[in-house]
C-alpha cells in the first residue's frame, strides 16, 4: 500500500512529496493492481478529504510539467467545476461572445463526467478541434481571438492513471476530476473564471487556486447552485486578491427567470442547433442574458471593460447582431468542421 493511500485511510493530509512518489510509481507501473483505483475512490467525496491533500495533489502534478511552455499574456480562461444544476454549455457560449468583443480567450474543458455533454463533446459536434501544442494554440488565438487548448496542457499522469484503472472508466471519478480539473492545466495567462456549484466549496477552491501560479483565478458562486454566473439571482466573484464582488439582477438590469430557462438539450440531434440558437440570441431572453453576463465577466477579467452594465450591453449586442455566430462559423471553418457562419448544420 502506497503512503498516499495509507495517509488517506488514516485521515492525515498527503504531502506534495508523497504525491510525487505516487506519480513516480504509477508511471513506472510499480503499484499493486487495483491500488490506483482504490486511491481515486478514497477521493470521491472531496468534501471529506483534507483540503491540503487535494491542494498538494494539484501542486505535485503541476510541478511535473517538463518542456517549453508558451505564455499568453492578456488571455482569459473560463471553465466550471461542474456538479451543479444542469445547464446548457454557458461557458463555451460566453467564451465565443467575449472573443467576438475582442478579448483573448484560451479555453480549457473536458468531456462530460457528470453531465450529458461537456465542452469538448460540444466542440466535437461543432466540428471544432482542440489544439495540440502551445504553438498551435498561439496560432489559433492570433487568427480568431479564441483557442480551445487540448490535452497537452494537462499532466500526462492523468492519461497514465486512466490506463491503470482500466476497466473502470475515468467517468467513475467524475466528481473529483471536475473539481480538480480547472486548476491542473499549465496555461500561463492573465486570469481564469471558474464557477463553483455552491459556496461550501469556496475554502477548498481557494486553496486549489493558490496552487496555480501562472494566472489569477476568480471563483464564482450564486444562490441557485450553478457553476456559472446567473442573471436572475445573486452572484459573488471571489477574486485572487481576496476581494469579493457582489452582482445582483437589480444592478445588472437583467430579467427574472428560472433554471428551466437554462436547461440543457438532452436530444443528441439538437445539441448543435440549440447552441447556434444560443450564440445567435434566439434561445430566450434569460439564456441570452446569462451568456452575456458571463462574457462580460471575461471582458472585465481581461481588462477590456471596467463597468458591468456596459459590458453586459456590449455582449448582448454581439449576440444579437450575429458577431458571435459568425465567429463560431469562422472557427469551425478553420477546423475543417461542418459549422458555417450563421448556419445550423453540424454533426448530431
Amino acid at each position: 500500500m502506497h503512503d498516499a493511500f495509507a495517509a488517506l485511510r488514516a485521515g492525515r493530509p498527503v504531502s506534495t512529496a508523497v504525491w510525487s512518489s505516487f506519480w513516480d510509481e504509477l508511471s513506472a507501473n510499480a503499484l499493486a493492481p487495483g491500488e490506483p483505483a482504490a486511491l481515486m475512490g478514497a477521493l470521491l467525496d472531496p468534501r471529506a478529504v483534507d483540503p491540503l491533500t487535494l491542494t498538494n495533489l494539484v501542486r505535485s502534478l503541476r510541478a511535473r510539467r517538463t518542456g517549453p511552455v508558451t505564455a499568453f499574456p492578456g488571455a482569459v480562461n473560463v471553465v466550471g467545476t461542474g456538479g451543479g444544476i444542469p445547464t446548457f454549455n454557458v461557458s463555451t457560449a460566453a467564451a465565443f461572445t467575449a472573443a467576438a468583443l475582442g478579448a483573448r480567450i484560451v479555453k480549457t474543458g473536458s468531456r462530460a463526467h457528470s453531465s450529458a455533454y461537456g465542452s469538448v463533446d460540444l466542440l466535437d459536434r461543432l466540428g471544432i478541434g482542440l489544439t495540440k501544442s502551445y504553438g498551435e494554440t498561439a496560432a489559433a488565438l492570433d487568427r480568431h481571438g479564441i483557442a480551445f487548448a487540448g490535452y497537452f496542457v494537462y499532466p500526462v499522469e492523468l492519461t497514465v492513471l486512466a490506463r491503470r484503472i482500466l476497466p473502470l472508466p475515468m467517468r467513475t471519478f467524475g466528481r473529483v476530476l471536475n473539481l480538480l480539473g480547472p486548476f491542473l492545466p499549465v496555461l500561463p495567462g492573465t486570469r481564469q473564471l471558474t464557477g463553483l456549484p455552491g459556496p461550501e466549496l469556496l475554502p477548498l477552491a481557494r486553496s486549489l487556486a493558490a496552487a496555480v501560479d501562472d494566472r489569477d483565478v476568480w471563483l464564482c458562486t450564486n444562490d441557485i447552485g450553478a457553476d456559472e454566473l446567473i442573471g436572475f439571482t445573486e452572484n459573488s466573484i471571489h477574486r485572487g486578491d481576496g476581494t469579493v464582488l457582489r452582482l445582483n439582477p437589480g444592478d445588472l438590469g437583467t430579467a427574472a427567470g428560472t433554471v428551466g430557462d437554462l436547461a440543457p438539450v438532452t436530444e443528441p440531434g439538437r445539441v448543435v442547433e440549440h447552441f447556434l440558437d444560443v450564440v445567435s440570441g434566439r434561445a430566450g431572453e434569460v439564456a441570452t442574458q446569462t451568456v452575456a453576463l458571463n462574457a462580460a465577466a471575461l471582458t472585465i477579467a481581461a481588462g477590456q471593460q471596467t463597468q458591468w452594465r456596459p459590458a453586459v450591453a456590449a455582449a448582448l449586442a454581439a449576440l444579437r447582431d450575429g458577431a458571435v455566430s459568425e465567429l463560431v462559423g469562422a472557427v469551425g471553418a478553420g477546423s475543417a468542421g461542418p459549422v458555417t457562419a450563421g448556419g445550423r448544420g453540424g454533426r448530431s
Side-chain angles (χ1 to χ4, degrees):
M1 179 186 299
H2 191 274
D3 288 347
F5 189 59
L8 283 168
R9 289 187 62 179
R12 301 193 307 271
V14 182
S15 69
T16 304
V18 170
W19 276 123
S20 295
S21 169
F22 174 79
W23 302 123
D24 287 340
E25 294 190 29
L26 179 81
S27 299
N29 202 16
L31 296 169
E35 196 167 355
L39 185 79
M40 288 298 294
L43 300 175
L44 269 179
D45 184 0
R47 294 174 178 85
V49 180
D50 189 309
L52 185 58
T53 288
L54 295 175
T55 304
N56 288 339
L57 187 159
V58 169
R59 285 198 176 102
S60 71
L61 284 173
R62 291 180 58 84
R64 297 176 73 85
R65 182 80 199 195
T66 59
V69 174
T70 299
F72 304 104
V76 180
N77 181 15
V78 55
V79 55
T81 60
I85 62 170
T87 63
F88 65 85
N89 202 301
V90 174
S91 64
T92 302
F96 275 114
T97 305
L101 291 169
R104 287 166 59 85
I105 306 295
V106 180
K107 178 164 169 44
T108 59
S110 66
R111 295 196 182 276
H113 289 301
S114 59
S115 59
Y117 297 98
S119 61
V120 175
D121 303 300
L122 172 62
L123 293 171
D124 275 353
R125 290 178 172 274
L126 289 168
I128 296 173
L130 303 180
T131 60
K132 298 180 177 62
S133 67
Y134 286 103
E136 192 174 311
T137 304
L141 186 60
D142 289 342
R143 185 163 56 249
H144 297 297
I146 187 169
F148 296 92
Y151 299 115
F152 71 93
V153 299
Y154 290 93
V156 69
E157 285 78 9
L158 295 182
T159 301
V160 178
L161 178 64
R163 293 176 184 147
R164 298 287 186 260
I165 66 173
L166 289 174
L168 286 175
M170 287 288 271
R171 189 180 181 119
T172 304
F173 309 105
R175 189 174 189 181
V176 67
L177 291 172
N178 278 344
L179 179 59
L180 299 181
F183 308 99
L184 291 175
V186 175
L187 195 67
T190 296
R191 293 205 170 86
Q192 175 172 305
L193 195 69
T194 291
L196 307 175
E200 70 277 4
L201 285 174
L202 267 171
L204 173 56
R206 283 196 187 102
S207 182
L208 296 174
V212 179
D213 57 5
D214 58 4
R215 56 197 182 275
D216 180 28
V217 180
W218 290 6
L219 302 169
C220 308
T221 63
N222 55 60
D223 289 347
I224 64 170
D227 69 337
E228 52 257 327
L229 299 172
I230 303 296
F232 56 79
T233 193
E234 179 94 10
N235 300 276
S236 298
I237 299 179
H238 302 258
R239 292 177 285 203
D241 62 3
T243 60
V244 181
L245 176 65
R246 311 287 182 188
L247 298 173
N248 62 67
D251 295 335
L252 298 169
T254 47
T258 69
V259 295
D261 296 310
L262 306 176
V265 170
T266 56
E267 304 91 336
R270 292 197 58 239
V271 172
V272 167
E273 177 186 8
H274 179 261
F275 184 76
L276 294 178
D277 281 343
V278 166
V279 296
S280 301
R282 298 191 298 256
E285 190 64 14
V286 174
T288 302
Q289 289 185 353
T290 294
V291 172
L293 174 57
N294 285 270
L298 291 174
T299 62
I300 287 173
Q304 279 198 315
Q305 293 272 7
T306 58
Q307 300 298 315
W308 283 90
R309 279 214 180 199
V312 172
L316 287 170
L319 287 159
R320 290 168 175 157
D321 69 12
V324 184
S325 61
E326 287 176 8
L327 178 59
V328 173
V331 175
S335 298
V339 179
T340 57
R344 300 174 66 88
R347 287 194 298 262
S348 59

